[in-house]
Amino acid sequence: MTTLDLIDRKIVAALMRDATQPIGRIADQVGLSQTPCWKRIQKLEATGVLTGRVALADPAKLGLGLTVFAGVEAPDHSPEWRAGFESALAAMPEVREVYRMAGVYDYLLQIVARDVPAFDAFYKRLTTMVTVKSCSSLFVLERLKATPGYPLDTSTR
């Protein structure tokens, strides 16, 4: 874990709220001048604390109205199966996130699709590319909260 001081945490929090802010505005928020602020941002990027800057979009307005969480059980736990599974998922842009899990499922996938038939086509492609023991899908009815950033303590040293 990288140890961040209060100013670094404030910079990261400001960028997670809005990465399009000018350096001058971020510097004002954290109590620095522009050059030291910019140098800290560069260091945060170089050390991997900041991994990218992206624009957030509404999936429904992009024609991706269905979100599915799929729990996948592996038929075995060999390195060959894992490599094939990871390769299949890398080739499928519908897969937004993948977690290797402990518990009932070996993997949890977050998938976006236009609709149920599009998800079904995704499922058929996945199970053609790699064998799975089971796949249980949970269809999202309503997204109540989606927070792109992480909670940071920006008040104490």
Side-chain angles (χ1 to χ4, degrees):
M1 182 179 111
T2 303
T3 303
L4 303 177
D5 68 14
L6 179 60
I7 292 174
D8 286 339
R9 291 193 309 269
K10 286 182 176 183
I11 290 170
V12 171
L15 289 169
M16 285 190 301
R17 278 191 306 276
D18 182 0
T20 65
Q21 296 180 74
I23 296 296
R25 184 179 308 156
I26 296 169
D28 288 343
Q29 290 174 38
V30 303
L32 291 176
S33 62
Q34 288 188 31
T35 300
C37 184
W38 176 242
K39 286 182 179 179
R40 281 183 179 246
I41 291 170
Q42 288 178 315
K43 182 180 176 190
L44 291 164
E45 289 174 336
T47 59
V49 173
L50 295 175
T51 59
R53 300 182 201 186
V54 299
L56 302 176
D58 182 332
K61 291 182 179 175
L62 298 174
L64 300 168
L66 180 66
T67 300
V68 180
F69 288 92
V72 174
E73 284 187 82
D76 66 70
H77 298 278
S78 68
E80 295 79 17
W81 184 87
R82 281 195 313 271
F85 184 65
E86 290 173 14
S87 177
L89 296 178
M92 304 177 114
E94 301 95 332
V95 178
R96 295 197 60 225
E97 297 186 34
V98 179
Y99 299 94
R100 192 165 63 87
M101 307 293 290
V104 176
Y105 301 112
D106 297 309
Y107 296 89
L108 183 65
L109 286 58
Q110 181 189 28
I111 302 145
V112 294
R114 183 177 59 257
D115 51 25
V116 173
F119 172 75
D120 187 43
F122 160 83
Y123 175 81
K124 289 174 182 173
R125 279 194 337 272
L126 175 64
T127 56
T128 298
M129 295 171 77
V130 64
T131 301
V132 299
K133 181 178 177 183
S134 71
C135 180
S136 180
S137 302
L138 302 165
F139 293 79
V140 173
L141 299 177
E142 180 182 13
R143 179 171 68 174
L144 300 176
K145 180 179 179 182
T147 305
Y150 298 97
L152 290 178
D153 179 0
T154 57
S155 60
T156 59
R157 296 198 176 274

